[in-house]
Amino acid sequence: MKLTRICIDLDEVVANWYEGICDLYDVKPWPYPFPVNEWDFYNHPPIGKPTEEVKKLADENFYFNLQKTAYADELVLWAKWMVGKENTFFLSTPWHNNGCCDGKRRWVDKNYPGYLKRTFLGSHKWIAAFPGSLLIDDKDDNIEEFKKYGGGGLLIPRPWNKRCDEVKEDGSIDIHEIIRQ
């Protein structure tokens, strides 16, 4: 099937959310100090904070100031090459806290000018699924749901998902090998 649209998640696919959270709590992110395959890693030591407490710190400036992942630009360039800029979108599930959506929008506008109008924030990423669409995400459930509705999925290996064994000790991944799949 011909690929006609690529939807890219923000947090941990192009925006380095994990290291941003670690910085908030002065925790060294690598080697990974949390249990693997645990989505809410920050609930466990060495951070050990409830989600609601972490949400309060992840405000507009937190999101706006996140660094890009090491592979972000390569991934976006690949998507543009595959389907064109006009068919490359950002999809992200925001936390329901003060400033999250505005911070994510500002981050996209700063790091990927011209993509703000193709950035959609909401928890139902599957709404963009159809044959010929591809979701690139770090959450197993998002990929499975997107596929259920007719799209394709590319799971970016992270310590909290089922591809955790592909993450190197320094947190790096082989993005070239991943997009070849």
Side-chain angles (χ1 to χ4, degrees):
M1 179 171 310
K2 182 176 172 21
L3 195 57
T4 59
R5 179 179 300 156
I6 296 178
C7 303
I8 303 171
D9 178 37
L10 291 178
D11 299 332
E12 275 315 295
V13 177
V14 291
N16 202 334
W17 190 86
Y18 166 69
E19 288 187 14
I21 293 292
C22 287
D23 286 348
L24 286 176
Y25 290 97
D26 199 29
V27 170
K28 184 180 171 199
W30 308 108
Y32 192 68
F34 303 97
V36 294
N37 290 315
E38 288 287 334
W39 181 253
D40 296 329
F41 65 86
Y42 43 80
N43 295 156
H44 303 276
I47 293 177
K49 301 293 182 186
T51 302
E52 290 306 313
E53 184 175 323
V54 178
K55 276 185 186 182
K56 289 176 187 172
L57 296 177
D59 60 9
E60 182 175 346
N61 286 328
F62 167 81
Y63 283 99
F64 177 69
N65 291 312
L66 290 175
Q67 299 297 309
K68 290 181 183 179
T69 59
Y71 46 85
D73 289 339
E74 288 180 73
L75 193 58
V76 172
L77 186 62
W78 173 80
K80 282 173 33 179
W81 179 76
M82 292 296 291
V83 297
K85 183 177 178 180
E86 69 279 2
N87 292 306
T88 301
F89 294 82
F90 289 121
L91 303 181
S92 189
T93 302
W95 265 351
H96 299 289
N97 64 331
N98 211 5
C100 178
C101 289
D102 289 337
K104 286 181 181 227
R105 286 185 189 102
R106 287 179 57 214
W107 187 92
V108 168
D109 202 33
K110 173 180 75 171
N111 290 286
Y112 295 101
Y115 279 89
L116 190 54
K117 289 185 178 182
R118 284 187 307 287
T119 299
F120 297 91
L121 305 177
S123 58
H124 300 298
K125 294 178 182 182
W126 56 264
I127 199 112
F130 63 89
S133 64
L134 176 71
L135 174 65
I136 303 172
D137 206 306
D138 66 310
K139 189 170 186 180
D140 307 86
D141 293 347
N142 289 344
I143 296 293
E144 294 310 312
E145 187 109 335
F146 205 80
K147 287 179 176 180
K148 181 174 137 186
Y149 285 92
L154 179 60
L155 184 66
I156 296 295
R158 303 308 303 140
W160 44 86
N161 67 37
K162 65 184 175 188
R163 293 185 73 176
C164 60
D165 58 329
E166 297 173 55
V167 181
K168 297 179 178 99
E169 190 171 304
D170 65 357
S172 64
I173 59 173
D174 184 350
I175 196 65
H176 301 284
E177 181 61 32
I178 293 162
I179 59 178
R180 266 194 291 271
Q181 300 171 1

